[in-house]
C-alpha cells in the first residue's frame, strides 16, 4: 500500500479490516520524507534561491552543540531529517542542500550557515511555506540534540 500525501503533512486516517477485527490507523509523514533529493551546482542553487525570497524564505538561528561541529555529523543529521541532496559550496562554514516535493515537484532549498562561536542560521527557501516552516523546526531539532 502506498499513500500519496500530496505535499501535505496532514495525517492519513483509515481502517484496516480483517475477518475478525478492525484497526484504526493514522499515519502522519515526517516533512523530510515528502521530498526527493535534487543535485545541482552552486550557481544553480544561488539562482533558484534568488527566486524564492521574501514570503518563500524562513530563517531561524540556533546554537550548535560541540558534538555537531564536524562536516560529517552536520551532513548526516540534515540528510537523516530530510531527503535532500548536498549542493557543493565554496565556503567551509556553509552547507547547502536541495530537494523537490514528491507530488508537485516544488523546489526546497536549505542553507546552514555556521559561525566560529558555535552559532548558526538555518534558512529554507520554498514555495511551500508550511513545509519550509516545519523543515526548519525539524532540522534545528536534529542539530541541537
Amino acid at each position: 500500500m502506498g499513500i500519496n500525501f500530496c505535499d501535505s503533512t496532514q495525517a492519513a486516517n483509515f481502517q484496516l479490516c480483517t475477518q475478525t477485527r478492525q484497526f484504526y490507523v493514522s499515519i502522519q509523514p515526517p516533512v523530510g520524507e515528502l521530498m526527493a533529493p535534487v543535485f545541482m551546482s552552486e550557481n544553480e542553487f544561488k539562482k533558484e534561491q534568488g527566486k524564492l525570497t521574501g514570503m518563500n524564505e524562513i530563517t531561524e538561528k540556533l546554537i550548535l552543540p560541540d558534538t555537531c561541529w564536524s562536516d560529517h555529523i552536520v551532513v548526516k543529521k540534515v540528510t537523516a531529517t530530510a531527503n535532500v541532496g548536498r549542493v557543493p559550496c565554496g565556503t567551509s562554514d556553509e552547507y547547502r542542500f536541495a530537494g523537490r516535493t514528491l507530488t508537485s515537484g516544488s523546489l526546497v532549498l536549505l542553507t546552514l550557515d555556521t559561525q566560529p562561536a558555535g552559532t548558526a542560521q538555518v534558512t529554507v527557501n520554498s514555495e511551500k511555506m508550511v513545509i519550509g516552516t516545519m523543515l526548519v523546526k525539524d532540522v534545528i531539532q536534529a542539530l541541537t540534540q
Side-chain angles (χ1 to χ4, degrees), residues 12-108:
N13 300 307
F14 55 94
Q15 286 181 343
L16 287 176
C17 301
T18 67
Q19 290 179 343
T20 58
R21 297 186 63 192
Q22 290 182 342
F23 301 93
Y24 293 92
V25 180
S26 180
I27 299 175
Q28 185 168 17
V31 71
E33 291 185 19
L34 294 174
M35 56 193 74
V38 171
F39 300 98
M40 60 175 57
S41 70
E42 183 176 13
N43 288 338
E44 287 175 291
F45 184 94
K46 288 179 178 178
K47 179 182 162 195
E48 294 297 331
Q49 190 177 38
K51 296 176 188 176
L52 295 168
T53 57
M55 295 271 302
N56 298 316
E57 184 172 88
I58 298 104
T59 301
E60 291 289 336
K61 294 182 186 298
L62 69 144
I63 296 174
L64 291 173
D66 294 342
T67 57
C68 207
W69 282 30
S70 92
D71 283 356
H72 176 72
I73 298 292
V74 169
V75 171
K76 184 178 174 184
K77 286 189 176 201
V78 171
T79 55
T81 303
N83 194 11
V84 290
R86 185 155 185 204
V87 175
C89 188
T91 62
S92 62
D93 59 349
E94 192 170 88
Y95 302 87
R96 294 186 179 132
F97 303 88
R100 284 196 184 275
T101 59
L102 293 172
T103 302
S104 68
S106 297
L107 203 56
V108 178

